[in-house]
Amino acid sequence: MTMNKVPTIKEIAKQLKISVSTVSRALHDHPSIGLRTKTRVQELAKELGYEPNQTAIFFKQRKTFTIGVILPYLIEDFFAGAISGIEEIAMQHKYNVLIGQSQDNVEREKEILTAMKNQRVDGIIVSLSKHTKNLDHFTALEKYGIPVVFFDRVPASNDYNKVAFNMPQGTHQAITYLMEKGHRRIGIINGPEEMKSSKERTDTYMEVMQKKRLKIDLTLVAYCDLTREGTAEAMESLLSLKQPPTAVLAINDYVALDAIQYCKSKKIKNNKDIFFVSYANLPITNYLESPPMASIEQYPKKQGMKAADILMELLESPEDQRPAPQNCLIDGELVIHGR
Amino acid sequence: MTMNKVPTIKEIAKQLKISVSTVSRALHDHPSIGLRTKTRVQELAKELGYEPNQTAIFFKQRKTFTIGVILPYLIEDFFAGAISGIEEIAMQHKYNVLIGQSQDNVEREKEILTAMKNQRVDGIIVSLSKHTKNLDHFTALEKYGIPVVFFDRVPASNDYNKVAFNMPQGTHQAITYLMEKGHRRIGIINGPEEMKSSKERTDTYMEVMQKKRLKIDLTLVAYCDLTREGTAEAMESLLSLKQPPTAVLAINDYVALDAIQYCKSKKIKNNKDIFFVSYANLPITNYLESPPMASIEQYPKKQGMKAADILMELLESPEDQRPAPQNCLIDGELVIHGR
DNA sequence: CTGTTAGCGCATTCAT
DNA sequence: ATGAATGCGCTAACAG
């Protein structure tokens, strides 16, 4: 470690026998500084390899040009896509990105939030932990003037800025597509019943059925814990109905694949005896012999970018008069998997 | 925005009519503070919802408890796994994580690095951009006493801290396995020729062949740009040899899958006419009708955790006497895909 | 055009 | 056991 002393404006001022404020202004191209001194300062700065100490600037300016992102798991495809989009937008606006994984643990979520607040991040983007009910720790941020944008796992209230997948639209597309293919008994495999998306999916399903004047059979709606075994159980319950479904809408591609494997073990052929549509549109489906017949792309990166856009807008408007909460839905797109 | 004034120790001092230093000490449980005042301070602090302003502390202490992570793309499975492991270790040690994607662009890499340096991150973990040759921008960090740990895409020199996949070990396992299965003509599909891993893979391949006293045929070594089309071309070149390979070792699962699809289009059956082994062991292989016969798990999360461990060790030892550079190789594991 | 001064919030050294 | 004073590096209001 060579560890030469890191140069400061004070050092430059001393060497040039001028004041620190002149140096500061010269470095910022302030109009009131003479060309002569300005160049002298800038040259010495370069020579010494001067770089401003941002921690001092953050402290003084009460602005850190940093946003915090809290989400359950960085490793999940959806969140990895989202964070990638967030970072891209943030960097365009010269903002830094601080990350934290809640691991679906409310306590961890709070800890991370506190750390970010104390670090005075300028804003926060969150996808809530699965078990977060109470939002007090987020509303407490108002006192610090730190705006929050929720995405994907968002609170129900419209009083918050939020970006989420348009479940009614996506689900509507999926069901309509299956109807067009002639299916009348359509099963659902949701995630856990507590998940907001489960309810949304079911509600939309019922609406569509109602509009088409088809009778609604709630035994066609199953729930699973997203594990392989849980999915098998859900699928089993659907298959054991007196009138089993001819098609199934599954919460995501992995669940669909597990369900398909379960069917196979029961000698029920995918895309022949039964059909699947799921959400996510993972790239892997292109390599499968027998994929879900279609999958709804949810554009994770786009969701992240949109959340970051909203936050940037908030940060760029004067704090005392920020735009009203935005509630943004990102449309899905049904991608048919070529035979 | 309610935006009440954010409480500081000065505020507490004023209300209690004591000095700021007493408040500071009371908050830190300093032994020299009387029990009476200590509790008075702590109670008022809680009542006001006091939280220390970390930007001030960072500035004063010249320590930010923040590490920077720079990698090409957050969205790639490997890096998503790595960052997840890094965050986990960092959080255990109460460190924050700042991220940046170089997008394999050297200029972006430098920009991010400068921003992180100026923010005085305590240390940095990097996976180099594909085109980074010159490491000057990293060695410049020494002046600031900021240690660096490289991972995955690491420099050749052993003078740096680095963590990488044990290519010789993993490749040795793969080739040996194929040999045991009776293969003698084994093809390789590398990534681009500039990639260090391509050379390593080829070198190991040649070593093993030599040891087994098999003649080395360099026409069996192909390169691809990792796209679907590039992979098809590489596979085509291997298949058009007078003596085509009976097995192929591919740089990763996706390339193997593309190669398998190409073979299929030429009526060459995977796991019958030809066999594949690749690197990564993506979960999807469990859902494939016809997967590579085996894949080498590279433990991305473990690599990230190890890199973070090394960095934490560096940060916890006194700056003037840090341990010598560590060069750590993470062993792979050949996972056989059950028929 | 340039210098002087103050202060951001906190930890800390030196008094008392 | 407590207070006063200092300074981290920088910006900016004010004064010339």
Side-chain angles (χ1 to χ4, degrees), chain B residues 227-244:
Chain B
T227 65
R228 188 182 179 72
E229 298 72 30
T231 302
E233 283 171 31
M235 197 63 222
E236 186 184 8
S237 79
L238 291 180
L239 290 178
S240 64
L241 293 174
K242 332 95 235 155
Q243 290 186 62

Side-chain angles (χ1 to χ4, degrees), chain A residues 245-277:
Chain A
T246 60
V248 172
L249 183 60
I251 176 174
N252 70 39
D253 289 342
Y254 281 116
V255 165
L257 293 177
D258 285 334
I260 289 169
Q261 286 206 336
Y262 177 79
C263 288
K264 190 174 174 190
S265 77
K266 296 295 174 194
K267 309 288 177 210
I268 298 170
K269 284 199 168 57
N270 179 39
N271 288 319
K272 180 148 173 281
D273 306 327
I274 194 167
F275 296 81
F276 286 85
V277 172

Side-chain angles (χ1 to χ4, degrees), chain A residues 221-233:
Chain A
V221 179
Y223 297 86
C224 80
D225 60 3
L226 306 181
T227 65
R228 189 182 179 72
E229 297 72 30
T231 302
E233 282 171 32

Side-chain angles (χ1 to χ4, degrees), chain A residues 12-61:
Chain A
I12 296 177
K14 193 165 70 179
Q15 291 198 26
L16 259 34
K17 298 189 206 315
I18 58 179
S19 77
V20 291
S21 45
T22 303
V23 175
S24 173
R25 286 185 281 237
L27 257 15
H28 289 229
D29 260 326
H30 191 288
S32 77
I33 298 293
L35 182 58
R36 173 134 183 67
T37 21
K38 190 181 288 183
T39 42
R40 287 209 317 148
V41 169
Q42 291 177 349
E43 274 170 14
L44 182 57
K46 186 171 299 175
E47 187 186 323
L48 296 178
Y50 168 80
E51 299 270 10
N53 180 337
Q54 293 292 359
T55 66
I57 296 174
F58 292 167
F59 171 50
K60 170 122 187 80
Q61 310 291 61

Side-chain angles (χ1 to χ4, degrees), chain A residues 48-337:
Chain A
L48 296 178
Y50 168 80
E51 299 270 10
N53 180 337
Q54 293 292 359
T55 66
I57 296 174
F58 292 167
F59 171 50
K60 170 122 187 80
Q61 310 291 61
R62 299 150 163 297
K63 168 104 181 144
T64 57
F65 281 99
T66 300
I67 65 174
V69 179
I70 307 175
L71 36 71
Y73 294 99
L74 284 165
I75 209 172
E76 284 185 18
D77 297 300
F78 181 88
F79 294 119
I83 187 84
S84 163
I86 292 171
E87 194 270 351
E88 207 169 305
I89 298 294
M91 183 154 190
Q92 277 173 24
H93 292 252
K94 309 268 182 211
Y95 274 76
N96 303 306
V97 179
L98 213 49
I99 53 166
Q101 308 182 81
S102 68
Q103 301 186 217
D104 272 329
N105 175 330
V106 185
E107 283 317 308
R108 261 181 92 105
E109 185 175 273
K110 285 187 189 169
E111 265 179 57
I112 296 169
L113 195 66
T114 303
M116 288 181 173
K117 176 188 65 183
N118 292 349
Q119 248 189 317
R120 303 292 190 270
V121 295
D122 294 333
I124 289 184
I125 295 176
V126 198
S127 185
L128 293 170
S129 110
K130 203 182 296 181
H131 310 105
T132 302
K133 300 286 165 208
N134 188 314
L135 294 176
D136 288 353
H137 46 301
F138 289 103
T139 51
L141 291 175
E142 288 192 0
K143 178 171 165 190
Y144 288 79
I146 301 176
V148 181
V149 178
F150 295 90
F151 83 101
D152 188 48
R153 308 247 201 99
V154 302
S157 161
N158 283 337
D159 297 343
Y160 302 100
N161 289 287
K162 56 185 188 181
V163 175
F165 175 64
N166 193 341
M167 183 63 79
Q169 176 268 350
T171 301
H172 191 279
Q173 260 196 50
I175 306 261
T176 307
Y177 174 72
L178 287 172
M179 296 274 207
E180 282 168 7
K181 292 288 177 183
H183 297 281
R184 287 300 171 267
R185 279 190 73 74
I186 300 172
I188 306 256
I189 302 182
N190 277 314
E193 200 153 359
E194 315 84 84
M195 279 181 80
K196 194 178 146 209
S197 68
S198 296
K199 177 161 169 36
E200 284 188 318
R201 188 177 295 103
T202 307
D203 287 351
T204 306
Y205 170 65
M206 296 199 300
E207 263 175 47
V208 179
M209 296 303 268
Q210 203 147 31
K211 235 174 242 160
K212 301 273 181 187
R213 309 238 166 259
L214 289 167
K215 81 162 194 298
I216 292 166
D217 179 354
L218 283 180
T219 61
L220 283 170
V221 179
Y223 297 86
C224 80
D225 60 3
L226 306 181
T227 65
R228 189 182 179 72
E229 297 72 30
T231 302
E233 282 171 32
M235 198 61 222
E236 187 184 5
S237 77
L238 291 180
L239 291 178
S240 63
L241 292 174
K242 333 95 234 161
Q243 290 186 61
T246 60
V248 172
L249 183 60
I251 176 174
N252 70 39
D253 289 342
Y254 281 116
V255 165
L257 293 177
D258 285 334
I260 289 169
Q261 286 206 336
Y262 177 79
C263 288
K264 190 174 174 190
S265 77
K266 296 295 174 194
K267 309 288 177 210
I268 298 170
K269 284 199 168 57
N270 179 39
N271 288 319
K272 180 148 173 281
D273 306 327
I274 194 167
F275 296 81
F276 286 85
V277 172
S278 45
Y279 299 76
N281 188 34
L282 297 173
I284 57 160
T285 45
N286 297 317
Y287 297 104
L288 296 169
E289 192 72 17
S290 176
M293 78 188 299
S295 185
I296 301 148
E297 171 66 55
Q298 295 178 294
Y299 300 109
K301 185 165 180 178
K302 190 170 167 188
Q303 287 195 42
M305 292 175 94
K306 184 64 189 173
D309 279 338
I310 292 176
L311 185 57
M312 289 300 131
E313 195 190 331
L314 285 166
L315 294 179
E316 279 161 14
S317 50
E319 178 164 335
D320 50 345
Q321 180 204 348
R322 289 195 176 135
Q326 292 189 48
N327 293 225
C328 178
L329 294 180
I330 302 287
D331 282 350
E333 187 184 339
L334 189 77
V335 179
I336 316 291
H337 292 143

Side-chain angles (χ1 to χ4, degrees), chain B residues 307-326:
Chain B
D309 279 338
I310 293 177
L311 184 56
M312 289 300 130
E313 194 188 335
L314 285 166
L315 293 180
E316 279 162 14
S317 51
E319 180 165 333
D320 51 345
Q321 180 203 345
R322 290 195 176 132
Q326 293 189 49

Side-chain angles (χ1 to χ4, degrees), chain B residues 60-98:
Chain B
K60 169 126 186 80
Q61 310 291 63
R62 302 154 160 305
K63 167 106 183 145
T64 57
F65 283 99
T66 299
I67 65 173
V69 179
I70 307 175
L71 35 72
Y73 295 98
L74 284 166
I75 209 172
E76 285 186 16
D77 297 302
F78 181 88
F79 293 119
I83 187 83
S84 161
I86 291 171
E87 195 269 350
E88 207 170 305
I89 297 294
M91 183 154 189
Q92 276 172 24
H93 292 252
K94 309 269 181 210
Y95 274 76
N96 303 305
V97 179
L98 214 49

